Amino acid sequence: MRVIIQPDGDTIAALVAESIVDLVNEKPNAVLGFATGSSPLGIYRELIKAYREGRVSFKDAWGFQLDEYVGLPADHPELYRNVINRDIESQVDFAEGRVHAPNGNSEDLQSAGDEYDAMIADAGGVDFQILGIGTDGHIAFNEPGSSFTQGTHVETLTPQTREDNARFFGGDISRVPTHCLTQGLGTIMEARKVALVATGEGKAEAIAELIEGPVSARWPATILQHHPDATVLIDEAAASKLEMQDFYRFAWENRLPWQTV
C-alpha cells in the first residue's frame, strides 16, 4: 500500500486526476470506478478541466458507480446516479450508456447486484477505482462487519453513516435511506488499481486503522492492505494519527519513477 501525504485536497485531487488522464490516454476504453460524497469532488473538477483543455477524452471509456441508495425516486437530487451525472458524466464526453449504477429501485435487489457485477466483468473489469472512506472505516457502503469476499449486495446503513450523510438531505437524518445497493469488498478488490482519498481530522482514526491497524471486519477498508496496487492519499489532518507519517513522506519524496498514484 502506497501512502501519500499532501498539504491539501486540491493537491491530492490533481495527483489522482493526472493518473486517470494518463490511463485513459493510454487505454481509451478504460473502466473507471466512481465514488460519491465530498472526497472525490476535486478529482472530478480536475478531470473536467483536463477534458475542456483537450488533454483527454472519455468517449470510449466506461464508468461504474460504487453504490446507490435503495428507494429514492429517479428524480431525487441525491440519487447517486444523478449525483455522478451532475458531478462528472454530463461535464465530459462519455458516450450514452457508458456510465452505470446499481439499480436501487429494482424489485429484486440481490439479482440486481449480481447483474451489476456481471456488467462490470463484461466491460473488462475496473481499471481505476476511486474510493473515499467513512468515519467508521466503510468503503462504498460496506459497513463494519461486512464480508471481505461479497459481491454487490444490499446493505443496511449504520446510524453513524446516516448521520454523516444527513448533510446532503438538509441535515434531516430521517430523510436518509436506511438501505443501499453497494459493490461488495470482493468486487472492489478486483479493481486493478485503487486510489482512496481522505481529508480532514474526522477521517484520522479510520485512516490510522486502514494503514497501520490489523485487517479486521470492524474497519472494512483494512482489506485494502491485501490489494496489490492500492494508494491512500491524505492531507495532514487525516494523517495526524499515523505513527509512521514521517516515513511515508520520506518514501514518497524518494519514490522511483514508476511509483505513481
Side-chain angles (χ1 to χ4, degrees), residues 225-236:
Q225 293 180 25
H226 291 305
H227 194 283
D229 193 357
T231 303
V232 179
L233 301 101
I234 47 181
D235 68 358
E236 296 288 350

Side-chain angles (χ1 to χ4, degrees), residues 164-185:
D164 290 345
N165 286 6
R167 68 190 189 277
F168 299 113
F169 292 83
D172 184 355
I173 192 173
S174 69
R175 295 167 57 191
V176 182
T178 57
H179 293 83
C180 67
L181 190 59
T182 182
Q183 284 189 35
L185 297 172

Side-chain angles (χ1 to χ4, degrees), residues 67-82:
D67 41 35
E68 185 59 272
Y69 287 118
V70 167
L72 285 185
D75 61 351
H76 195 289
E78 294 306 319
L79 187 77
Y80 281 164
R81 185 66 191 89
N82 297 330

Side-chain angles (χ1 to χ4, degrees), residues 128-158:
F128 193 110
Q129 178 64 62
I130 300 169
L131 293 174
I133 188 170
T135 57
D136 61 0
H138 73 252
I139 50 176
F141 271 137
N142 293 281
E143 299 284 24
S146 294
S147 164
F148 284 153
T149 60
Q150 199 166 14
T152 300
H153 65 283
V154 179
E155 186 84 14
T156 303
L157 302 180
T158 65

Side-chain angles (χ1 to χ4, degrees), residues 2-247:
R2 188 171 298 116
V3 179
I4 303 174
I5 302 172
Q6 294 293 300
D8 53 53
D10 289 342
T11 308
I12 290 170
L15 282 172
V16 177
E18 196 59 35
S19 185
I20 294 173
V21 168
D22 290 344
L23 168 65
V24 175
N25 283 332
E26 180 180 340
K27 183 181 179 181
N29 66 338
V31 180
L32 306 178
F34 291 133
T36 52
S38 303
S39 296
L41 291 178
I43 300 170
Y44 299 151
R45 286 193 293 268
E46 290 292 329
L47 292 177
I48 293 165
K49 178 182 177 184
Y51 164 70
R52 291 177 177 173
E53 292 173 349
R55 295 194 290 118
V56 67
S57 170
F58 298 91
K59 64 182 180 65
D60 295 320
W62 295 87
F64 286 89
Q65 293 177 209
L66 278 173
D67 41 35
E68 185 59 272
Y69 287 118
V70 167
L72 285 185
D75 61 351
H76 195 289
E78 294 306 319
L79 187 77
Y80 281 164
R81 185 66 191 89
N82 297 330
V83 172
I84 289 297
N85 181 67
R86 181 171 66 240
D87 290 345
I88 179 67
E89 180 186 6
S90 66
Q91 304 295 317
V92 296
D93 62 340
F94 276 105
E96 185 175 355
R98 303 284 283 196
V99 178
H100 299 278
N103 183 5
N105 286 310
S106 172
E107 293 183 0
D108 186 344
L109 290 169
Q110 192 51 57
S111 291
D114 295 340
E115 292 166 4
Y116 195 63
D117 284 339
M119 288 176 63
I120 294 173
D122 288 346
V126 173
D127 293 298
F128 193 110
Q129 178 64 62
I130 300 169
L131 293 174
I133 188 170
T135 57
D136 61 0
H138 73 252
I139 50 176
F141 271 137
N142 293 281
E143 299 284 24
S146 294
S147 164
F148 284 153
T149 60
Q150 199 166 14
T152 300
H153 65 283
V154 179
E155 186 84 14
T156 303
L157 302 180
T158 65
Q160 181 63 58
T161 296
R162 295 180 69 229
E163 182 177 336
D164 290 345
N165 286 6
R167 68 190 189 277
F168 299 113
F169 292 83
D172 184 355
I173 192 173
S174 69
R175 295 167 57 191
V176 182
T178 57
H179 293 83
C180 67
L181 190 59
T182 182
Q183 284 189 35
L185 297 172
T187 303
I188 292 169
M189 288 292 287
E190 291 178 355
R192 295 179 182 89
K193 182 184 286 287
V194 170
L196 186 147
V197 174
T199 58
E201 189 175 356
K203 300 295 179 71
E205 182 181 13
I207 287 297
E209 293 290 343
L210 161 61
I211 296 171
E212 297 179 345
V215 176
S216 167
R218 172 61 185 85
W219 298 92
T222 58
I223 189 61
L224 294 177
Q225 293 180 25
H226 291 305
H227 194 283
D229 193 357
T231 303
V232 179
L233 301 101
I234 47 181
D235 68 358
E236 296 288 350
S240 61
K241 294 187 177 182
L242 291 172
E243 295 181 1
M244 297 177 60
Q245 54 184 286
D246 289 343
F247 171 70

